[in-house]
Amino acid sequence: MSTSTMQPANFIEDIIIKDLESGKHGGRVVTRFPPEPNGYLHIGHAKSICLNFGLAKKFGGVCHLRFDDTDPAKEEPEYVEAIKRDVKWLGFDWGDKLFHAADYFEALYEFAVELIQQGKAYVDDLSPEQMREYRGTLTEPGKNSPYRDRSIEENLDLFQRMRAGEFPDGARVLRAKIDMSSPNMNMRDPVIYRIKRVEHHRTGNDWVIYPMYDFAHPISDALEGITHSICTLEFEDNRPLYEWFLNNVSVPCHPQQIEFARLNLAYTITSKRRLLRLVELGHVSGWDDPRVPTIAGVRRRGYTPEAIRDLCDRVGVAKNNSLVDMAMLEHCVREDLNRRAPRAMAVLRPLRVVIENFPEGQVEELEAINNPEDRSMGTRKVPLSRVIYIEQEDFMEDPPKGYRRLAPGREVRLRYGYVIKCEDVVKNEQGEVVELRCTCDFETLGGSTPDGRKVRGIIHWVSAEHAVPAEVRLYDRLFTIENPAEVEDYVEYVNPKSLEVLTECMLEPSLAEASPGSFYQFERQGYFCVDIVDSKPDQLVFNRTVALRDTWAKIQKRQR
Ligand code: ATP
Ligand code: MG
């Protein structure tokens, strides 16, 4: 491939193009996405997935999926499977490049022995508290551990016995011997192995010592021949350590670590640990609750992989962290669904309307357009009969000026149908409007009126006799504060109104067969999808994916 004509889209591509030109990695591009299987992936991870797989694709390389499973205490096979499903769903394929850091445990052990043999690692007996004390602070250098100058032989012996299970958990650690006075705290003799008797989901009880992330990660990268090891900004200070390990053990190659800014979304959280807490406390129904910004959650909500990839593109690759507005993600979702979602009529809060001059028992099939953005999606027939449902909010007894919908004595057009006029209002004992009596002007089909009178309002409706009842779930933002990631008690700020369940919705009959996961635009209401978990053929459940207009931006404007 010729790189001389390529335009780098961001600073990482710039690095890759230069490396390809100089032949630095032998002209190869190998990236990896390295999740720890300690929770479900979220939108932030989507950014990293799109970036790593995207770079491999653009530059004719490969991207590995590697489970960073070095801490068995928090890791589970359920998460491994969920992560694979989510990466695939986003549209990426790792082919046969599926790896697990746990598969390198033996090799990692050998590299640790190598460090000991060079006098570059030692077994330390300090307690965790003492170690913290010896570590120093940002302004003060640390102190050498009294065990730092153990002989190579003693270290080899102790490390081997750590592995053999001779010492209790936490009694000893293996540390890299670097520099206790380094201004970079990460370089102050970091721990590289700890004793931890926890069963591992891949290696069972084979090991009682487990490597630390900072040690396992660069070596795993090198063993896989990764060329560009892309991670988020908080690892910038770990880079010297990443380099140190690669420079001091006999790995086959030297990957380059490159940092970029995390994707953070306003009014929600992208942290597995924090999401797990919401799940455990029951604030959401699970990792796939449609309010949660996990990939599983947004999939169930009805967001498409296309929209998420589009968001990641638009956000770009930056060097400083920022908070992306939810409106931007919703905008991407709307753009995609607008092109692809078939239209349908659904009444969420029904009000019964009897069209008095519409003959009892008669059904008229009206032609409706499936998608005005894409005429190739064709048309369908929608039945109209004497009794219909309209939206409660499309009627007002005492309307303000400029109201274009139905009111006593006023006219409105039924979408794809006739103009109706409200003749009478029926109320219950509490004085609530329970039914409207209307008449229909049969001369008004096709958008015109015989006398040229103007009827500006058009409302959606569903024939009562043909309606399919359904439950519809409306969602609002998960938190009441913009940046819940910044506060410790974020759980206190879960929006109590983030879910509204409407159980008496009425859908047009074409939706009776809607299959789980399929999406629609309910006219004037937004984009909806059939819930993939709770919807049943005899009891449909729809999620509102996103409202039609950008209500979010409006709310923000009002607050300002
Ligand atoms: P969390 O705090 O949610 O557990 P993490 O970074 O610990 O996130 P990992 O499983 O270690 O989760 O992440 C796998 C990869 O995804 C890493 O390379 C990490 O840098 C990247 N990543 C995680 N969160 C984000 C984010 N918000 N934006 C971009 N990349 C991210
Ligand atoms: Mg992590």
Side-chain angles (χ1 to χ4, degrees):
M1 181 178 37
S2 160
T3 51
S4 53
T5 53
M6 288 195 97
Q7 283 302 311
N10 54 57
F11 75 95
I12 299 181
E13 293 196 9
D14 198 36
I15 294 172
I16 293 179
I17 289 172
K18 291 204 172 88
D19 288 348
L20 286 172
E21 280 166 359
S22 72
K24 181 173 170 193
H25 301 282
R28 293 175 315 125
V29 175
V30 186
T31 57
R32 86 285 172 269
F33 173 62
E36 182 180 2
N38 61 348
Y40 278 57
L41 297 181
H42 48 65
I43 291 273
H45 292 113
K47 170 82 229 186
S48 174
I49 294 168
C50 290
L51 179 59
N52 281 295
F53 281 92
L55 288 170
K57 191 164 176 204
K58 178 160 182 177
F59 295 101
V62 286
C63 179
H64 297 185
L65 173 61
R66 181 200 314 140
F67 287 99
D68 217 325
D69 48 0
T70 53
D71 188 1
K74 294 177 284 165
E75 298 164 0
E76 283 175 35
E78 177 201 343
Y79 298 141
V80 172
E81 291 314 309
I83 289 171
K84 288 193 214 164
R85 191 161 53 221
D86 291 347
V87 174
K88 274 193 201 143
W89 179 79
L90 273 175
F92 299 103
D93 183 6
W94 55 86
D96 59 352
K97 305 296 182 198
L98 176 65
F99 300 97
H100 298 82
D103 293 351
Y104 309 135
F105 280 169
E106 193 60 50
L108 288 163
Y109 179 85
E110 292 303 326
F111 285 120
V113 168
E114 232 183 81
L115 284 177
I116 298 174
Q117 282 166 339
Q118 299 174 74
K120 288 175 179 167
Y122 61 98
V123 173
D124 199 351
D125 302 356
L126 289 182
S127 69
E129 298 75 54
Q130 289 171 315
M131 228 191 290
R132 219 169 296 131
E133 236 171 78
Y134 275 75
R135 203 162 171 241
T137 63
L138 282 173
T139 50
E140 283 166 52
K143 285 187 301 189
N144 285 353
S145 161
Y147 305 97
R148 198 174 195 261
D149 293 319
R150 276 180 162 147
S151 70
I152 290 173
E153 288 65 37
E154 191 185 357
N155 280 318
L156 285 172
D157 175 60
L158 285 171
F159 187 48
Q160 189 275 320
R161 289 164 61 195
M162 278 170 63
R163 175 180 183 167
E166 284 189 31
F167 313 117
D169 285 14
R172 295 193 149 103
V173 294
L174 183 71
R175 299 177 73 173
K177 195 190 254 187
I178 308 179
D179 179 4
M180 286 308 290
S181 59
S182 170
N184 182 339
M185 301 289 278
N186 294 300
M187 301 298 273
R188 294 187 186 173
D189 292 11
V191 172
I192 58 182
Y193 265 93
R194 61 215 190 291
I195 307 172
K196 207 167 177 176
R197 284 174 176 76
V198 181
E199 186 171 307
H200 191 285
H201 63 98
R202 275 185 86 76
T203 58
N205 293 306
D206 291 356
W207 294 87
V208 297
I209 56 172
Y210 289 101
M212 301 298 285
Y213 172 87
D214 278 329
F215 176 68
H217 198 78
I219 294 176
S220 303
D221 279 349
L223 291 175
E224 289 175 19
I226 301 298
T227 56
H228 301 86
S229 176
I230 298 161
C231 62
T232 37
L233 281 183
E234 68 273 21
F235 289 101
E236 205 162 11
D237 288 343
N238 300 54
R239 186 171 359 116
L241 186 53
Y242 184 97
E243 291 289 316
W244 190 90
F245 285 126
L246 292 183
N247 289 335
N248 286 288
V249 296
S250 59
V251 284
C253 64
H254 196 118
Q256 180 185 358
Q257 175 177 312
I258 306 168
E259 307 88 18
F260 75 102
R262 296 177 82 88
L263 168 62
N264 299 310
L265 278 179
Y267 292 101
T268 193
I269 41 176
T270 45
S271 149
K272 282 180 283 183
R273 183 175 59 82
R274 290 183 168 219
L275 288 169
L276 175 63
R277 223 172 125 219
L278 287 187
V279 173
E280 285 174 342
L281 292 173
H283 284 288
V284 294
S285 66
W287 285 102
D288 65 349
D289 187 302
R291 288 169 291 178
V292 174
T294 52
I295 306 291
V298 300
R299 169 170 60 228
R300 189 171 165 195
R301 171 91 169 245
Y303 290 16
T304 59
E306 289 81 355
I308 294 167
R309 294 199 302 262
D310 184 23
L311 174 82
C312 294
D313 263 3
R314 285 176 199 236
V315 168
V317 179
K319 260 290 187 191
N320 36 15
N321 284 317
S322 64
L323 205 54
V324 171
D325 203 305
M326 204 60 148
M328 190 163 167
L329 174 55
E330 295 190 336
H331 176 76
C332 295
V333 173
R334 266 188 219 104
E335 266 207 354
D336 185 36
L337 291 179
N338 182 38
R339 278 191 297 265
R340 301 196 289 145
R343 274 49 173 173
M345 290 198 285
V347 174
L348 304 187
R349 297 172 183 88
L351 172 61
R352 204 177 128 90
V353 174
V354 178
I355 306 171
E356 293 181 317
N357 59 341
F358 204 101
E360 202 117 21
Q362 184 174 313
V363 179
E364 194 173 335
E365 299 278 345
L366 298 167
E367 182 154 60
I369 296 161
N370 286 336
N371 187 347
E373 301 288 321
D374 180 359
R375 292 294 173 142
S376 74
M377 287 171 74
T379 60
R380 67 188 186 285
K381 297 284 189 210
V382 188
L384 175 66
S385 61
R386 182 179 161 88
V387 183
I388 62 172
Y389 294 115
I390 67 166
E391 213 65 64
Q392 284 169 18
E393 62 177 24
D394 282 336
F395 171 78
M396 273 184 101
E397 213 174 355
D398 193 10
K401 210 167 154 265
Y403 188 74
R404 288 180 173 185
R405 291 167 273 172
L406 213 48
R410 298 242 205 135
E411 287 187 315
V412 79
R413 179 176 291 281
L414 298 179
R415 180 81 159 137
Y416 303 117
Y418 301 104
V419 171
I420 59 168
K421 183 176 183 187
C422 177
E423 307 286 357
D424 209 355
V425 179
V426 183
K427 295 182 179 175
N428 63 12
E429 282 166 8
Q430 288 82 48
E432 296 157 351
V433 178
V434 290
E435 185 180 290
L436 304 180
R437 310 294 291 192
C438 294
T439 50
C440 177
D441 181 346
F442 290 100
E443 303 294 306
T444 54
L445 207 56
S448 62
T449 48
D451 50 4
R453 70 187 191 276
K454 291 233 175 347
V455 180
R456 286 219 175 79
I458 303 177
I459 64 173
H460 61 276
W461 53 275
V462 170
S463 164
E465 167 191 346
H466 304 90
V468 178
E471 175 178 318
V472 171
R473 299 172 182 170
L474 306 178
Y475 302 101
D476 199 348
R477 52 181 123 172
L478 186 52
F479 287 93
T480 55
I481 51 173
E482 189 176 35
N483 200 350
E486 272 183 351
V487 295
E488 242 344 282
D489 58 344
Y490 63 100
V491 170
E492 303 297 314
Y493 297 93
V494 170
N495 179 3
K497 297 193 184 122
S498 57
L499 169 65
E500 185 183 359
V501 181
L502 305 175
T503 54
E504 293 175 349
C505 309
M506 293 293 173
L507 318 179
E508 67 165 72
S510 71
L511 292 172
E513 307 287 304
S515 57
S518 54
F519 46 78
Y520 298 88
Q521 184 196 99
F522 289 175
E523 298 211 17
R524 302 173 65 227
Q525 299 286 10
Y527 296 96
F528 294 73
C529 73
V530 183
D531 190 75
I532 49 181
V533 178
D534 294 336
S535 192
K536 302 283 170 298
D538 57 344
Q539 179 50 62
L540 292 176
V541 177
F542 277 81
N543 296 313
R544 178 154 74 189
T545 305
V546 63
L548 270 191
R549 264 172 293 277
D550 202 342
T551 48
W552 205 287
K554 259 194 276 172
I555 290 166
Q556 283 193 324
K557 210 189 261 171
R558 225 180 298 141
Q559 282 171 346
R560 245 175 256 141

